[in-house]
Amino acid sequence: MKALVLSGGAGTRLRPITHTSAKQLVPVANKPVLFYGLESIAEAGITEVGVIVGDTAEEIKEAVGDGSRFGIKVTYLRQDAPLGLAHAVLIAKDFLGDDDFVMYLGDNFIVGGISGLVDGFRAERPDAQILLTKVPNPTSFGVAELDAEGRVVALEEKPAEPKSDLALVGVYLFTPAVHEAVRAIEPSWRGELEITHAIQWLIDQRRDVRSTTISGYWKDTGNVTDMLEVNRSVLETVEPCRDGSVDDETEIIGRVRIEAGARVTGSRIVGPAIIGADTVVHNAYVGPFTSVSEGCRIEDSEIEYSIVLRGSSITGVRRVQASLIGRDVEITPAPRTPSAHRLVLGDHSKVQISS
């Protein structure tokens, strides 16, 4: 069995972060979201992995390499434009051959991995198996309709009037039957080959399409709110450690991970939280559910429920919360006189100012 991991999307909902970084590499608890998926695939006993890449190909390749760090062998497959999930299957045909495979969206996060799902699929081998979960906003997802016996009877992509609240999770399992399906469908109104249409084609052809409804934790990390929520969830399982230095004036409460080379002085850190390697925290408060990446500086400031990426600094700022801060960002207080806000913001930025 092989795996096909999609890492080619533009990440428009995470702009401006994704103007300069692949959305799959935005860190959760100081580890890229994509890495969690690759680890789940390896844990399921799958070693041959095709990674679909697009405009951020070089960054993905640099981060993932040949896959050996995860115990897998990676083959990169170029998708020149985001033409849909079924199109990704289409261009991966030579890599996939006649093997069964799991398709995993690289920006999805599933607690508990996929080993049980893969084992069940290997044993029973339906033509396709999908994961479903109940969501409050089904119009934003692919939605499945089940009959009284729980069989999949119809799928619809982002329906205006959804027939259920069961959304497709970004993990799919297929036998080679799906290759005929992706060749048979036409592009949707979005100009994309939709995987929901391919699965619907299998249903219409009376092929064996099954579903598993999961009750565990799943998130599509496509926006800032979901990124922060996933970060919160992962931090609750963090193993505390003090590989960096902490002075006697610092108070550490709860599950806090201080990585090698970090220096914490005169501060208060309330976990769960991570202070990344070579980061300096001085005279500051770092509150629960905060991940500070490597090489950062937090000084004379307060921050909680936030993600801070590599090389950023927050100095002399009273309070930062529920924020996603990109790489090499500098945050400082504005001069008291004249009373004004001075901003340098990239495209698609969002700012809330307390006056």
Side-chain angles (χ1 to χ4, degrees):
M1 193 169 186
K2 293 176 180 174
L4 188 65
V5 177
L6 277 67
S7 299
T12 55
R13 291 178 293 160
L14 276 173
R15 288 176 177 170
I17 298 292
T18 50
H19 278 310
T20 55
S21 177
K23 65 176 179 177
Q24 298 85 4
L25 297 181
V26 176
V28 168
N30 285 6
K31 181 165 67 176
V33 173
L34 175 61
F35 288 11
Y36 291 95
L38 295 176
E39 290 169 354
S40 293
I41 288 167
E43 288 167 4
I46 299 170
T47 57
E48 292 188 66
V49 181
V51 177
I52 300 288
V53 292
D55 291 342
T56 58
E58 293 309 312
E59 189 178 9
I60 296 289
K61 290 178 181 179
E62 182 179 355
V64 176
D66 63 2
S68 57
R69 64 184 292 185
F70 306 100
I72 59 178
K73 178 183 178 182
V74 170
T75 299
Y76 292 99
L77 306 166
R78 178 81 187 196
Q79 186 180 35
D80 292 328
L83 297 176
L85 304 187
H87 180 261
V89 175
L90 196 65
I91 65 174
K93 176 63 173 69
D94 289 344
F95 166 76
L96 295 169
D98 293 326
D99 294 313
D100 296 349
F101 67 98
V102 56
M103 184 167 74
Y104 198 115
L105 273 59
D107 60 352
N108 274 223
F109 188 91
I110 300 174
V111 169
I114 60 172
S115 295
L117 180 74
V118 169
D119 290 344
F121 183 83
R122 280 175 165 146
E124 300 185 13
R125 292 198 71 233
D127 294 300
Q129 186 159 351
I130 58 177
L131 264 68
L132 304 174
T133 191
K134 290 189 176 183
V135 295
N137 55 335
T139 55
S140 300
F141 300 93
V143 174
E145 181 184 357
L146 308 182
D147 64 14
E149 284 73 41
R151 291 188 297 262
V152 184
V153 295
L155 299 175
E156 193 172 3
E157 187 68 31
K158 296 181 174 63
E161 297 181 2
K163 296 179 180 178
S164 82
D165 60 354
L166 293 171
L168 277 77
V169 174
V171 177
Y172 310 79
L173 296 107
F174 297 110
T175 67
V178 74
H179 296 300
E180 184 179 1
V182 298
R183 289 194 303 269
I185 62 175
E186 298 292 332
S188 68
W189 62 270
R190 301 193 301 172
E192 298 184 6
L193 291 176
E194 311 284 1
I195 198 65
T196 48
H197 292 179
I199 299 170
Q200 184 65 54
W201 185 90
L202 291 171
I203 295 170
D204 294 341
Q205 298 297 314
R206 301 188 180 279
R207 306 300 290 263
D208 187 4
V209 177
R210 303 183 190 180
S211 69
T212 300
T213 300
I214 63 173
S215 56
Y217 190 85
W218 165 78
K219 279 290 183 181
D220 169 6
T221 61
N223 59 53
V224 173
T225 299
D226 286 340
M227 284 293 306
L228 294 174
E229 174 60 19
V230 171
N231 192 63
R232 180 200 63 77
S233 177
V234 176
L235 285 177
E236 287 182 336
T237 66
V238 71
E239 291 296 327
C241 75
R242 294 193 189 183
D243 291 338
S245 64
V246 179
D247 75 350
D248 293 338
E249 297 180 4
T250 293
E251 183 180 17
I252 305 291
I253 300 173
R255 303 171 68 89
V256 175
R257 183 177 184 86
I258 300 174
E259 298 182 340
R263 289 179 289 126
V264 184
T265 56
S267 297
R268 186 169 189 257
I269 303 179
V270 180
I274 296 181
I275 307 301
D278 301 316
T279 281
V280 174
V281 179
H282 175 67
N283 193 29
Y285 167 74
V286 178
F289 310 119
T290 302
S291 296
V292 182
S293 194
E294 69 270 19
C296 295
R297 186 174 189 90
I298 313 293
E299 185 173 2
D300 297 323
S301 301
E302 300 179 6
I303 183 170
E304 70 177 30
Y305 194 62
S306 295
I307 298 173
V308 183
L309 274 60
R310 184 186 68 232
S312 292
S313 65
I314 304 172
T315 306
V317 178
R318 184 178 61 185
R319 190 73 168 179
V320 176
Q321 65 184 22
S323 299
L324 174 57
I325 298 168
R327 294 176 295 188
D328 301 311
V329 170
E330 294 182 9
I331 301 176
T332 58
R336 296 196 175 196
T337 55
S339 181
H341 300 289
R342 183 175 183 269
L343 307 173
V344 179
L345 301 174
D347 295 348
H348 306 287
S349 295
K350 293 182 180 180
V351 176
Q352 291 181 328
I353 295 175
S354 298
S355 57

PDB file of all heavy atoms in Angstrom, residues 165-188:
ATOM      1  N   ASP A 165     -24.981  16.681   8.076  1.00  0.00           N
ATOM      2  CA  ASP A 165     -23.898  17.448   8.710  1.00  0.00           C
ATOM      3  C   ASP A 165     -22.617  16.638   8.763  1.00  0.00           C
ATOM      4  O   ASP A 165     -21.728  16.914   9.572  1.00  0.00           O
ATOM      5  CB  ASP A 165     -24.303  17.891  10.118  1.00  0.00           C
ATOM      6  CG  ASP A 165     -24.616  16.717  11.047  1.00  0.00           C
ATOM      7  OD1 ASP A 165     -24.629  15.559  10.565  1.00  0.00           O
ATOM      8  OD2 ASP A 165     -24.850  16.963  12.250  1.00  0.00           O
ATOM      9  N   LEU A 166     -22.504  15.636   7.879  1.00  0.00           N
ATOM     10  CA  LEU A 166     -21.330  14.768   7.846  1.00  0.00           C
ATOM     11  C   LEU A 166     -20.348  15.247   6.773  1.00  0.00           C
ATOM     12  O   LEU A 166     -20.603  15.116   5.580  1.00  0.00           O
ATOM     13  CB  LEU A 166     -21.746  13.323   7.567  1.00  0.00           C
ATOM     14  CG  LEU A 166     -22.559  12.652   8.679  1.00  0.00           C
ATOM     15  CD1 LEU A 166     -23.094  11.314   8.203  1.00  0.00           C
ATOM     16  CD2 LEU A 166     -21.718  12.482   9.937  1.00  0.00           C
ATOM     17  N   ALA A 167     -19.247  15.808   7.220  1.00  0.00           N
ATOM     18  CA  ALA A 167     -18.238  16.338   6.304  1.00  0.00           C
ATOM     19  C   ALA A 167     -17.148  15.308   6.060  1.00  0.00           C
ATOM     20  O   ALA A 167     -16.819  14.499   6.936  1.00  0.00           O
ATOM     21  CB  ALA A 167     -17.617  17.607   6.870  1.00  0.00           C
ATOM     22  N   LEU A 168     -16.580  15.350   4.855  1.00  0.00           N
ATOM     23  CA  LEU A 168     -15.461  14.471   4.530  1.00  0.00           C
ATOM     24  C   LEU A 168     -14.182  14.996   5.182  1.00  0.00           C
ATOM     25  O   LEU A 168     -13.799  16.149   4.999  1.00  0.00           O
ATOM     26  CB  LEU A 168     -15.262  14.381   3.022  1.00  0.00           C
ATOM     27  CG  LEU A 168     -16.141  13.379   2.268  1.00  0.00           C
ATOM     28  CD1 LEU A 168     -17.547  13.926   2.097  1.00  0.00           C
ATOM     29  CD2 LEU A 168     -15.538  13.052   0.910  1.00  0.00           C
ATOM     30  N   VAL A 169     -13.556  14.127   5.941  1.00  0.00           N
ATOM     31  CA  VAL A 169     -12.238  14.413   6.511  1.00  0.00           C
ATOM     32  C   VAL A 169     -11.204  14.196   5.409  1.00  0.00           C
ATOM     33  O   VAL A 169     -11.405  13.397   4.498  1.00  0.00           O
ATOM     34  CB  VAL A 169     -11.989  13.479   7.715  1.00  0.00           C
ATOM     35  CG1 VAL A 169     -10.581  13.635   8.254  1.00  0.00           C
ATOM     36  CG2 VAL A 169     -13.019  13.749   8.809  1.00  0.00           C
ATOM     37  N   GLY A 170     -10.074  14.888   5.504  1.00  0.00           N
ATOM     38  CA  GLY A 170      -9.089  14.858   4.422  1.00  0.00           C
ATOM     39  C   GLY A 170      -8.230  13.621   4.358  1.00  0.00           C
ATOM     40  O   GLY A 170      -7.023  13.714   4.104  1.00  0.00           O
ATOM     41  N   VAL A 171      -8.824  12.441   4.569  1.00  0.00           N
ATOM     42  CA  VAL A 171      -8.135  11.164   4.412  1.00  0.00           C
ATOM     43  C   VAL A 171      -9.055  10.225   3.645  1.00  0.00           C
ATOM     44  O   VAL A 171     -10.215  10.038   4.028  1.00  0.00           O
ATOM     45  CB  VAL A 171      -7.758  10.529   5.766  1.00  0.00           C
ATOM     46  CG1 VAL A 171      -7.098   9.167   5.557  1.00  0.00           C
ATOM     47  CG2 VAL A 171      -6.831  11.444   6.551  1.00  0.00           C
ATOM     48  N   TYR A 172      -8.553   9.654   2.544  1.00  0.00           N
ATOM     49  CA  TYR A 172      -9.334   8.762   1.695  1.00  0.00           C
ATOM     50  C   TYR A 172      -8.506   7.512   1.417  1.00  0.00           C
ATOM     51  O   TYR A 172      -7.282   7.596   1.285  1.00  0.00           O
ATOM     52  CB  TYR A 172      -9.659   9.433   0.357  1.00  0.00           C
ATOM     53  CG  TYR A 172     -10.254  10.809   0.446  1.00  0.00           C
ATOM     54  CD1 TYR A 172      -9.452  11.932   0.685  1.00  0.00           C
ATOM     55  CD2 TYR A 172     -11.620  11.013   0.262  1.00  0.00           C
ATOM     56  CE1 TYR A 172      -9.990  13.208   0.749  1.00  0.00           C
ATOM     57  CE2 TYR A 172     -12.172  12.291   0.317  1.00  0.00           C
ATOM     58  CZ  TYR A 172     -11.352  13.381   0.563  1.00  0.00           C
ATOM     59  OH  TYR A 172     -11.883  14.630   0.632  1.00  0.00           O
ATOM     60  N   LEU A 173      -9.178   6.355   1.291  1.00  0.00           N
ATOM     61  CA  LEU A 173      -8.490   5.121   0.944  1.00  0.00           C
ATOM     62  C   LEU A 173      -9.101   4.543  -0.317  1.00  0.00           C
ATOM     63  O   LEU A 173     -10.329   4.480  -0.458  1.00  0.00           O
ATOM     64  CB  LEU A 173      -8.579   4.107   2.090  1.00  0.00           C
ATOM     65  CG  LEU A 173      -7.873   4.572   3.367  1.00  0.00           C
ATOM     66  CD1 LEU A 173      -8.897   4.947   4.413  1.00  0.00           C
ATOM     67  CD2 LEU A 173      -6.936   3.504   3.904  1.00  0.00           C
ATOM     68  N   PHE A 174      -8.236   4.117  -1.251  1.00  0.00           N
ATOM     69  CA  PHE A 174      -8.705   3.657  -2.555  1.00  0.00           C
ATOM     70  C   PHE A 174      -7.988   2.393  -2.997  1.00  0.00           C
ATOM     71  O   PHE A 174      -6.803   2.193  -2.691  1.00  0.00           O
ATOM     72  CB  PHE A 174      -8.461   4.724  -3.632  1.00  0.00           C
ATOM     73  CG  PHE A 174      -9.202   6.013  -3.421  1.00  0.00           C
ATOM     74  CD1 PHE A 174      -8.519   7.181  -3.075  1.00  0.00           C
ATOM     75  CD2 PHE A 174     -10.585   6.078  -3.586  1.00  0.00           C
ATOM     76  CE1 PHE A 174      -9.195   8.375  -2.899  1.00  0.00           C
ATOM     77  CE2 PHE A 174     -11.268   7.273  -3.409  1.00  0.00           C
ATOM     78  CZ  PHE A 174     -10.576   8.417  -3.068  1.00  0.00           C
ATOM     79  N   THR A 175      -8.714   1.575  -3.759  1.00  0.00           N
ATOM     80  CA  THR A 175      -8.085   0.560  -4.586  1.00  0.00           C
ATOM     81  C   THR A 175      -7.844   1.189  -5.963  1.00  0.00           C
ATOM     82  O   THR A 175      -8.275   2.330  -6.219  1.00  0.00           O
ATOM     83  CB  THR A 175      -8.992  -0.670  -4.739  1.00  0.00           C
ATOM     84  OG1 THR A 175     -10.151  -0.285  -5.492  1.00  0.00           O
ATOM     85  CG2 THR A 175      -9.407  -1.232  -3.380  1.00  0.00           C
ATOM     86  N   PRO A 176      -7.196   0.479  -6.889  1.00  0.00           N
ATOM     87  CA  PRO A 176      -6.965   1.048  -8.226  1.00  0.00           C
ATOM     88  C   PRO A 176      -8.246   1.389  -8.989  1.00  0.00           C
ATOM     89  O   PRO A 176      -8.169   2.037 -10.039  1.00  0.00           O
ATOM     90  CB  PRO A 176      -6.171  -0.053  -8.935  1.00  0.00           C
ATOM     91  CG  PRO A 176      -5.482  -0.782  -7.846  1.00  0.00           C
ATOM     92  CD  PRO A 176      -6.442  -0.781  -6.701  1.00  0.00           C
ATOM     93  N   ALA A 177      -9.412   0.992  -8.485  1.00  0.00           N
ATOM     94  CA  ALA A 177     -10.675   1.333  -9.147  1.00  0.00           C
ATOM     95  C   ALA A 177     -10.854   2.833  -9.310  1.00  0.00           C
ATOM     96  O   ALA A 177     -11.539   3.295 -10.229  1.00  0.00           O
ATOM     97  CB  ALA A 177     -11.855   0.741  -8.361  1.00  0.00           C
ATOM     98  N   VAL A 178     -10.229   3.625  -8.438  1.00  0.00           N
ATOM     99  CA  VAL A 178     -10.426   5.071  -8.498  1.00  0.00           C
ATOM    100  C   VAL A 178      -9.806   5.675  -9.757  1.00  0.00           C
ATOM    101  O   VAL A 178     -10.226   6.754 -10.210  1.00  0.00           O
ATOM    102  CB  VAL A 178      -9.842   5.740  -7.228  1.00  0.00           C
ATOM    103  CG1 VAL A 178      -8.311   5.762  -7.263  1.00  0.00           C
ATOM    104  CG2 VAL A 178     -10.388   7.152  -7.055  1.00  0.00           C
ATOM    105  N   HIS A 179      -8.826   5.004 -10.357  1.00  0.00           N
ATOM    106  CA  HIS A 179      -8.187   5.572 -11.550  1.00  0.00           C
ATOM    107  C   HIS A 179      -9.170   5.675 -12.713  1.00  0.00           C
ATOM    108  O   HIS A 179      -9.133   6.643 -13.488  1.00  0.00           O
ATOM    109  CB  HIS A 179      -6.968   4.741 -11.942  1.00  0.00           C
ATOM    110  CG  HIS A 179      -5.881   4.759 -10.904  1.00  0.00           C
ATOM    111  ND1 HIS A 179      -5.266   5.912 -10.489  1.00  0.00           N
ATOM    112  CD2 HIS A 179      -5.312   3.754 -10.181  1.00  0.00           C
ATOM    113  CE1 HIS A 179      -4.364   5.632  -9.562  1.00  0.00           C
ATOM    114  NE2 HIS A 179      -4.376   4.321  -9.359  1.00  0.00           N
ATOM    115  N   GLU A 180     -10.053   4.715 -12.834  1.00  0.00           N
ATOM    116  CA  GLU A 180     -11.087   4.791 -13.870  1.00  0.00           C
ATOM    117  C   GLU A 180     -12.044   5.928 -13.563  1.00  0.00           C
ATOM    118  O   GLU A 180     -12.497   6.649 -14.466  1.00  0.00           O
ATOM    119  CB  GLU A 180     -11.848   3.466 -13.944  1.00  0.00           C
ATOM    120  CG  GLU A 180     -12.874   3.424 -15.074  1.00  0.00           C
ATOM    121  CD  GLU A 180     -13.610   2.092 -15.145  1.00  0.00           C
ATOM    122  OE1 GLU A 180     -13.347   1.204 -14.300  1.00  0.00           O
ATOM    123  OE2 GLU A 180     -14.473   1.962 -16.037  1.00  0.00           O
ATOM    124  N   ALA A 181     -12.330   6.126 -12.283  1.00  0.00           N
ATOM    125  CA  ALA A 181     -13.263   7.179 -11.876  1.00  0.00           C
ATOM    126  C   ALA A 181     -12.711   8.572 -12.185  1.00  0.00           C
ATOM    127  O   ALA A 181     -13.433   9.428 -12.707  1.00  0.00           O
ATOM    128  CB  ALA A 181     -13.568   7.053 -10.388  1.00  0.00           C
ATOM    129  N   VAL A 182     -11.440   8.826 -11.890  1.00  0.00           N
ATOM    130  CA  VAL A 182     -10.905  10.173 -12.119  1.00  0.00           C
ATOM    131  C   VAL A 182     -10.773  10.478 -13.607  1.00  0.00           C
ATOM    132  O   VAL A 182     -10.792  11.653 -14.009  1.00  0.00           O
ATOM    133  CB  VAL A 182      -9.552  10.381 -11.392  1.00  0.00           C
ATOM    134  CG1 VAL A 182      -9.715  10.235  -9.890  1.00  0.00           C
ATOM    135  CG2 VAL A 182      -8.478   9.451 -11.911  1.00  0.00           C
ATOM    136  N   ARG A 183     -10.660   9.439 -14.417  1.00  0.00           N
ATOM    137  CA  ARG A 183     -10.625   9.661 -15.870  1.00  0.00           C
ATOM    138  C   ARG A 183     -12.016   9.901 -16.437  1.00  0.00           C
ATOM    139  O   ARG A 183     -12.165  10.506 -17.515  1.00  0.00           O
ATOM    140  CB  ARG A 183      -9.987   8.461 -16.575  1.00  0.00           C
ATOM    141  CG  ARG A 183      -8.487   8.308 -16.351  1.00  0.00           C
ATOM    142  CD  ARG A 183      -7.868   7.325 -17.344  1.00  0.00           C
ATOM    143  NE  ARG A 183      -8.498   6.011 -17.272  1.00  0.00           N
ATOM    144  CZ  ARG A 183      -8.073   5.021 -16.493  1.00  0.00           C
ATOM    145  NH1 ARG A 183      -7.015   5.207 -15.713  1.00  0.00           N
ATOM    146  NH2 ARG A 183      -8.677   3.847 -16.502  1.00  0.00           N
ATOM    147  N   ALA A 184     -13.039   9.456 -15.718  1.00  0.00           N
ATOM    148  CA  ALA A 184     -14.411   9.517 -16.245  1.00  0.00           C
ATOM    149  C   ALA A 184     -15.107  10.839 -15.950  1.00  0.00           C
ATOM    150  O   ALA A 184     -16.070  11.190 -16.635  1.00  0.00           O
ATOM    151  CB  ALA A 184     -15.237   8.359 -15.676  1.00  0.00           C
ATOM    152  N   ILE A 185     -14.654  11.592 -14.951  1.00  0.00           N
ATOM    153  CA  ILE A 185     -15.375  12.790 -14.532  1.00  0.00           C
ATOM    154  C   ILE A 185     -14.914  14.026 -15.304  1.00  0.00           C
ATOM    155  O   ILE A 185     -13.847  14.043 -15.911  1.00  0.00           O
ATOM    156  CB  ILE A 185     -15.224  13.027 -13.021  1.00  0.00           C
ATOM    157  CG1 ILE A 185     -13.746  13.246 -12.652  1.00  0.00           C
ATOM    158  CG2 ILE A 185     -15.825  11.865 -12.241  1.00  0.00           C
ATOM    159  CD1 ILE A 185     -13.519  13.617 -11.189  1.00  0.00           C
ATOM    160  N   GLU A 186     -15.745  15.065 -15.246  1.00  0.00           N
ATOM    161  CA  GLU A 186     -15.437  16.359 -15.874  1.00  0.00           C
ATOM    162  C   GLU A 186     -15.141  17.394 -14.792  1.00  0.00           C
ATOM    163  O   GLU A 186     -15.581  17.246 -13.647  1.00  0.00           O
ATOM    164  CB  GLU A 186     -16.630  16.827 -16.718  1.00  0.00           C
ATOM    165  CG  GLU A 186     -16.983  15.906 -17.878  1.00  0.00           C
ATOM    166  CD  GLU A 186     -15.908  15.902 -18.954  1.00  0.00           C
ATOM    167  OE1 GLU A 186     -15.199  16.932 -19.080  1.00  0.00           O
ATOM    168  OE2 GLU A 186     -15.769  14.879 -19.648  1.00  0.00           O
ATOM    169  N   PRO A 187     -14.408  18.464 -15.139  1.00  0.00           N
ATOM    170  CA  PRO A 187     -14.152  19.516 -14.153  1.00  0.00           C
ATOM    171  C   PRO A 187     -15.453  20.136 -13.630  1.00  0.00           C
ATOM    172  O   PRO A 187     -16.444  20.241 -14.355  1.00  0.00           O
ATOM    173  CB  PRO A 187     -13.327  20.548 -14.931  1.00  0.00           C
ATOM    174  CG  PRO A 187     -12.686  19.760 -16.036  1.00  0.00           C
ATOM    175  CD  PRO A 187     -13.696  18.711 -16.407  1.00  0.00           C
ATOM    176  N   SER A 188     -15.444  20.528 -12.372  1.00  0.00           N
ATOM    177  CA  SER A 188     -16.597  21.174 -11.757  1.00  0.00           C
ATOM    178  C   SER A 188     -16.667  22.634 -12.191  1.00  0.00           C
ATOM    179  O   SER A 188     -15.829  23.125 -12.950  1.00  0.00           O
ATOM    180  CB  SER A 188     -16.483  21.093 -10.233  1.00  0.00           C
ATOM    181  OG  SER A 188     -15.386  21.900  -9.796  1.00  0.00           O
TER     182      SER A 188
END
